[in-house]
Amino acid sequence: MTDRHIPADLPERIQHYIDGEFVDSADGDTFEVLDPVTNETYLQAAAGKKADIDRAVAAAKRAFDEGPWPKMVARDRSRILHRIADIVESRDTRLAELESFDSGLPITQALGQARRAAENFRFFADLIVAQHDNAFKVPGRQMNYVNRKPIGVAGLITPWNTPFMLESWKLGPALATGNTVVLKPAEFTPLSASLWAGIFEEAGLPKGVFNLVNGLGEDAGDALVKHPDVPLISFTGESRTGQIIFGNAAPFLKGLSMELGGKSPAVVFADADLDVAIDACIFGVFSLNGERCTAGSRILVERPVYDEFVERYAAQAKRVKVGDPQDPTTEVGALVHPEHYEKVMSYVEIGKTEGRLVAGGGRPEGFPTGNYVAPTVFADVSPDARIFQEEIFGPVVAITPFDSEEEALALANDTKYGLAAYVWTNDLKRGHNFAQAVEAGMVWLNSNNVRDLRTPFGGVKASGLGHEGGYRSIDFYTDQQSVHITLGEPHNPTFGKSAHAPEEPSLDDPDPR
Ligand code: NAD
């Protein structure tokens, strides 16, 4: 690839950002960041450990306890969040260029992610101004209201698949609600996260509100999870990591939000509009290089259209354009890292023993180096196959036939995951019944995964714990304190005043808890 575009002014090293300053690790340690197209080191990033996390948490705690941010009126915080959105929008091309270079994501998709990051900030900027909390009145007797408060220092731990966008997904609501944060981005892709500091400074976010510590999960991530001054952790990543974090957070009884892995089914009934379903099922697993938590990576197809579906799907998968991530015509770029590439390739080899290979199956032609995987399709995959059960997180899909709605539902639910499901049918009743019965946190009916930001986002089973999205994010990042005021005479069951028997209980008595 001789005419490869390399972004101008790439940094050679990146630091942490603590209390408004860029700093190295306390012990000076760094780790290498690779370019996924050449797998050569292009960047050294500060490798944070417990000492760096301690420093970042102390700064965030100070900003929370003593700074203006948590006490600011919503409109003022909202203005700063809108400025952040404006700046992100105005730099979308540069952000996309850097993100694509660092992660291997196709540039056009990275651009969409940058714009979505801006939209996340804009959305929560609007939401906190519109936010209202409940008041419950008992005429003449009592008034009760909800006093919503930011919680403190939020620990945000993010994966590498859509780095900047996923960071915005946590930063937006955490900051909007008045918390201060320590972000620990994924070690494979730290480049775009380092841009937040400049964006926040320019938008006027007070010092110490945003802190960033780079580093490995088992060092920096682990220290953040175990820090006693971090009362809540929002984590997105693998289910196995989620289990470890859950255990490590347990002694502190921390608030946890977990967005974990997936193996989502796309279920195509014979009456579906096949052209649209095929397009959606191609995009659903090959976009973002297949490194997508909500990927429809198991396609279940009703027997009468199965052969036609497989043939047309495989033909289209072969036409999906693999290429340099920076090329605007590229549809599948390079996987993020050689370790991940090896994992995906090992599943391709496993798949060859478990299913019928109808497209791809290894490196695409013309790409002798770099983390490139040809869009790969296995048909006739049985439900006990590893490629049916396990998250591959690459451009690899398993197709399985079914004969009845009951069988489709059983197959759809037959994994440990439950993040998303896609249903394709023109039978209204069946579509809704299936959508409601499938074990998935989110279902799209005759739709690709287009999301309204107000809706809950989250998985069931091994795919997650809790929901974020819209008001659920506001709930996660705030405490809702109930304040009760007596309006009339205080109602006290009288104890110890006279010899006669206590009064009969009444609903006005103090709560029995
Ligand atoms: P990962 O679990 O390996 O890492 C995620 C983050 O956790 C990284 O920042 C990592 O450094 C950190 N980490 C690792 N070990 C840790 C520990 N012991 N303590 C604290 N932090 C630790 O995940 P990944 O490989 O970066 O991302 C891919 C996974 O993320 C896939 O499983 C994918 O499905 C999932 N994902 C889920 C969603 C969702 O919304 N459900 C979205 C995107 C990605």
Side-chain angles (χ1 to χ4, degrees), residues 156-162 165-166 169-170 184-189 215-226 233 235-242 244-246 248 258-263 291-295 336 340 343 391-393 417 419 442 457-459 462-464:
L156 313 178
I157 303 178
T158 49
W160 47 258
N161 64 322
T162 51
M165 196 287 289
L166 267 170
W169 168 249
K170 298 183 189 302
K184 207 303 279 172
E187 54 267 44
F188 284 175
T189 54
L216 307 187
E218 49 274 35
D219 296 333
D222 185 70
L224 187 57
V225 170
K226 292 176 179 164
I233 297 284
F235 168 75
T236 300
E238 286 185 19
S239 301
R240 178 70 201 121
T241 316
I244 295 170
I245 290 178
F246 195 94
N248 288 339
M258 301 244 168
E259 308 288 4
L260 308 176
K263 189 75 184 179
E291 297 160 328
R292 172 176 213 134
C293 57
T294 53
V336 67
H340 185 59
K343 174 187 154 185
E391 184 182 44
I392 300 173
F393 220 55
Y417 295 108
L419 191 57
M442 297 165 286
F457 184 101
S463 289

